[in-house]
Amino acid sequence: MKLVSFFNMGSPISIRVIVDAVRRRRTVSLLVCNMTVFIFALLFSFAVGAHAHQASESYLSLKVDGKSMTGQWDIALLDLERVIGLDADGDGNITRSEVEAKRTEIERYGLSRLRLKVDDAECPLRISGQMVDTFSDGAYNVLRFGVDCTATPKNLKIDYRAFFDIDAQHRGLLRLEFGGKVQTAVFSPEKPAQQFELTVPSRWRQFLAFLNDGAWHIWTGFDHILFLLALLLPSVLRRGPDGWRVVEHFRPALVTVLKIVTAFTVAHSTTLTLATLGILRLPARLVESTIALSVIIAALNNIRPIFSERGWILAFGFGLVHGFGFANALFDLGLAGGTLALTLVGFNLGVEAGQLAIVAVFVPPAFVWRSSWVYRELTFRLGSVAIVLLAATWMVERVLAIKVLPF
């Protein structure tokens, strides 16, 4: 009866109002759906090609002494497995005998992917030795070689092409020593060939190279990203007696974000510096397992709050461990003195820049849609559950040294 009365009282104008209201609701729903797609894309799109901080890197060291030039190229066995196939019996464990059986193929691959030119004249490489060594992040094949040069080099061009065709995230880290000085550089698909003047090393060039590498490290470290996002998810909410509520203004949310980012920055910068300088080191397996645990706890805190709005405590405590994870690449370069300081500062600032980029992309839209059920229930709660499950799988992989996920 009430329904009939309602429509009987309606006029064409009332009907238009109702239609407009329905259209507005549809528009809002469309915006919310777009937000859902955005948030979940941000949470999970990094999985494609990401390695959960097991970044693909090799270490190239060159030493110039007059007309003599020698080098060493350390290549991860896992990378060689992808292009050559070292694991003959398919048991998931690459042995020294399996590597030895592929010795010729490894040398052939290395010689085909690395070319040196001295003063515009190509210099052939001579392999002088090969062995397997264990670094902070796993086992590597070590190729030692000599370079045939006819004169004391003044300009050196290095063309590095390893693994770029199968992994766009691979990086080659260079340590070039001459005249008691050291230069560093990073080879990438965008910069596979680089030229060096063997007179005065470019400090600015080294700084920029590792600034970029630091940002790349956090953007391809899926576990670091998820840890940060798990801490940022509740930044636009506040904990009340009856559960999570939205914050009314942007300033409190911004203060929470600043606390988290500052705590994480101070913590990982401290241990990154200590580890790179060789003052304090932890086993890589322990570090990577603990990083996975940190992601689990940060996400669980959203589901069953322990620290509530004090996520900065988690950011600082586990940020200390994340710093050890960041340090692996720099430590294995074997740098010292001013070169190490310059590289360390550039790399750390790159990490901060990458971190701030994530914050800038995530926080503003999260604040805009914080009151929608899609953010509070689907993105915040379901997203946290998904992060827990993913990080738990990583932790099992790292503790047991097995591989389940492709990233």
Side-chain angles (χ1 to χ4, degrees), residues 46 48-51 55-57 164 167-171 189 216 219-220:
F46 300 102
V48 180
H51 296 273
S56 172
E57 294 171 336
F164 292 151
D167 187 352
Q169 295 176 349
H170 175 78
R171 294 296 185 271
W216 171 80
W219 273 101
T220 56

Side-chain angles (χ1 to χ4, degrees), residues 361-384:
V361 169
F362 178 81
V363 174
F367 179 79
V368 171
W369 280 284
R370 68 196 184 284
S371 59
S372 69
W373 69 269
V374 176
Y375 184 85
R376 297 178 62 182
E377 299 299 328
L378 185 60
T379 304
F380 179 70
R381 295 186 184 278
L382 184 59
S384 296

